[in-house]
Amino acid sequence: MRVTRRPVRTAAVVTGAVAALLLPAAGAAFADSPVPAASDRAVFWRNVDLADGSLAKVYQDGPGRFSAEIYAGGSLIDTLVSGDGKPVYGENNGLHVVLRPDGTVSSWLDEAPAPAPKPKPKPAPKPSTKVVRLPGGHTATFFTGKDGRPCVKLSVPGGKSWIYDLHGTLVGR
C-alpha cells in the first residue's frame, strides 16, 4: 500500500486554517485585561513599620498608584492598592492601616494597651483619741501623731502639757 503526501498536506492546511480562525476569538477573550506597559511595573518604594510591629512593603505601581503589602510574622495578611486619588483603608485584628495616594502609610491600634495598675494609696489612719483621767487632775490623751506613730499627751492642771511618743521620747510641749 502506498502512502501519498496529500493527506498529510491536507491535515496541515486544515489545522492552520482552524488556528487562524480561533486565535482572534481567543485574543478577544482577554481584551479586557490590560497589558502592562514597561512603566506600569511595580517598583519597591520603602518599608514602613506599623503600630503593632508588623511591616508594610510599599510599591509604586505607576504614576500616582501605590500598593502596600502588609506582613505580620512573616506572612502576608493584606494588600492595599490606591490609584484613584483617595486613601485606602484596611483593618486586621484591631490594626488599622491607611495607604494614601502619595504612598505614605499610617497605622494605629483599636485600643492602646492597658497601663499597669497604679498602687492604691493606703488610707490615712483615722485619728483615734482616747482620754484617760489620772489622779491629781492630770490627764493622758492617747492619739496618733502626724507621722503615724502613737503618742501620748500628758496634761497637768494649770495648762502645762508634754507630748511623748510611746518610746518615752519627748516630742513636743
Side-chain angles (χ1 to χ4, degrees):
M1 180 164 174
R2 189 174 141 164
V3 177
T4 62
R5 293 185 189 188
R6 181 177 270 187
V8 175
R9 186 180 60 195
T10 305
V13 170
V14 169
T15 304
V18 169
L21 291 174
L22 292 179
L23 280 179
F30 298 105
D32 290 342
S33 53
V35 177
S39 64
D40 287 344
R41 285 194 224 154
V43 177
F44 177 75
W45 195 47
R46 66 177 170 161
N47 286 333
V48 178
D49 292 322
L50 301 178
D52 68 344
S54 53
L55 176 72
K57 291 185 175 185
V58 182
Y59 297 91
Q60 185 170 14
D61 299 333
R65 291 189 317 232
F66 289 90
S67 63
E69 295 176 348
I70 312 299
Y71 291 91
S75 302
L76 177 67
I77 58 172
D78 198 6
T79 301
L80 301 175
V81 179
S82 73
D84 58 355
K86 296 180 183 175
V88 180
Y89 300 92
E91 189 267 331
N92 183 37
N93 291 334
L95 172 68
H96 297 266
V97 181
V98 178
L99 173 63
R100 292 186 178 78
D102 62 353
T104 58
V105 175
S106 61
S107 66
W108 69 91
L109 295 173
D110 272 343
E111 294 181 8
K118 295 180 182 177
K120 295 181 180 178
K122 294 180 181 178
K126 296 180 180 177
S128 59
T129 307
K130 183 174 182 181
V131 178
V132 178
R133 303 272 177 213
L134 301 174
H138 296 83
T139 58
T141 306
F142 295 91
F143 63 96
T144 304
K146 292 179 183 179
D147 57 1
R149 294 188 301 173
C151 297
V152 63
K153 178 180 178 182
L154 297 174
S155 300
V156 295
K160 289 194 172 189
S161 63
W162 297 268
I163 300 174
Y164 295 92
D165 64 7
L166 288 186
H167 296 290
T169 308
L170 180 64
V171 178
R173 291 186 185 236

